[in-house]
Amino acid sequence: MKNIIERNHITVVGTGKETIVLGHGFGCDQNVWRYIIPYLEKDYRLVLFDYVGSGKSDKSQYNIERYRNLDGYAQDLIEILDCFEIRDAIFIGHSVSSMIGILSSIHNSKYFKKMVLIGPSPRYINDEPDYYGGFNHQDINEILTFMEMNFLGWASANAAALIDNPDKPDLVEQLENTFTSEEPGIMKYFARATFLSDYRKELQLVTTPSLILQCSVDSIVPLEVAEYMKNNLQNSDLKILDSRGHYPHLSMPKQTAEYILDYIKGRE
C-alpha cells in the first residue's frame, strides 16, 4: 500500500461516504483540480493522484514498456482503487484520463458507479470518411516532433491556446508553469501514448454510466468527437459548456462543479 501511495503521490481530502477519484490530463498533476475541490469536498471523499512520470509521482518507477500505451496507466488506476478498497467510485477524468478511466471500467466495472469525462477523445487523428478527430497524421507528427525537440517551447507556445481565455492570463501562466515542471523525457512518451491512441472500439464495451463535459470551442477536442462519444457510449449524457478552451475546471470551476454535482446527485 505504501508503495502505491508514494508511487502515485496519492492525497485524500474530504470525509464524505462516497468517493470521487480525480484523474488529471496530459502534462498536468493533481493540482489541476484545485479550483473545484472546494465544491466537492463538502460531501465526498476525494482521492487525488499523479500518474507515474507526472507531478510528484515516484519517477523512478516509470517504465517505458509499461506506459507505452494507456493500458499501463489504467492498471495503475485499478491498483490505486484496490489500495483503498474503493468500489462504486465516481471517477472524474480530464482529457486522456477519461480514456484511462474507460479502460479501467472495462477491466472491472465494480470499481465505478459513474464517470465524468471532461474533454475526452478516443482518437485524435481523423479517419476519413467516418471519423473526425480534429487532426491529420501530419498535424500529430508535427506536435510530437515539437515536444521531443523542445518541450519547454511547446509548453510556452500552446498554454494560451489550450486555455483560450484571453481575459485570464493568470491561468495561461499557471498552465505553462505546470507543463514546464514536468519531465520532458517522460512527457514525450506520454504524448505518444495519448495522441497516437485509438480506443473507438473499446467504447462499445463500457457499461458504467457517464457524463461527457465538452467546451463549445476546444482546440484539442472538437464537438464532433463529443458527439461521437455520446453516440457510442451507452448510458451517457453530453453537456456542452458555453466556454472556450480545454480546461473548464480551471477557467469556469463553479459551473463545471455544478454540472458534475447535478449529474452525480441525480439532479436535473
Side-chain angles (χ1 to χ4, degrees), residues 9 14 26 34-35 57 60 72-73 99 105 110 113 129 145 159 176 193 200-201 207 219 225 233 243 265-268:
H9 185 57
F26 169 80
R34 61 192 177 276
Y35 293 139
S57 66
S60 70
Y73 297 100
M99 303 314 300
S105 76
K110 71 181 180 184
K113 179 180 179 181
T145 299
E176 182 178 344
R200 289 175 293 173
K201 292 181 179 179
T207 59
S219 63
V225 172
L233 274 177
S243 176
K265 290 179 178 290
R267 302 190 300 233
E268 292 296 329

Side-chain angles (χ1 to χ4, degrees), residues 9 13 29 48 69 80 98 116 141 152 178 194 228 235 246 258 264:
H9 185 57
V13 298
D29 57 31
L48 302 102
N69 57 41
I80 291 169
S98 298
V116 178
N141 287 335
L152 297 182
T178 299
T194 300
Y228 182 91
N235 300 321
H246 192 57
E258 287 174 350
I264 62 181

Side-chain angles (χ1 to χ4, degrees), residues 44-93:
Y44 297 91
R45 178 179 69 153
L46 309 182
V47 175
L48 302 102
F49 66 95
D50 298 335
Y51 288 111
V52 174
S54 300
K56 295 181 179 180
S57 66
D58 183 356
K59 296 179 178 62
S60 70
Q61 297 199 41
Y62 184 82
N63 179 288
I64 293 175
E65 182 60 28
R66 180 181 175 96
Y67 300 109
R68 63 185 175 84
N69 57 41
L70 301 186
D71 292 336
Y73 297 100
Q75 184 177 340
D76 283 359
L77 176 55
I78 290 169
E79 290 175 3
I80 291 169
L81 297 171
D82 276 337
C83 177
F84 286 87
E85 298 182 346
I86 297 172
R87 300 293 184 271
D88 293 323
I90 297 158
F91 179 75
I92 302 176

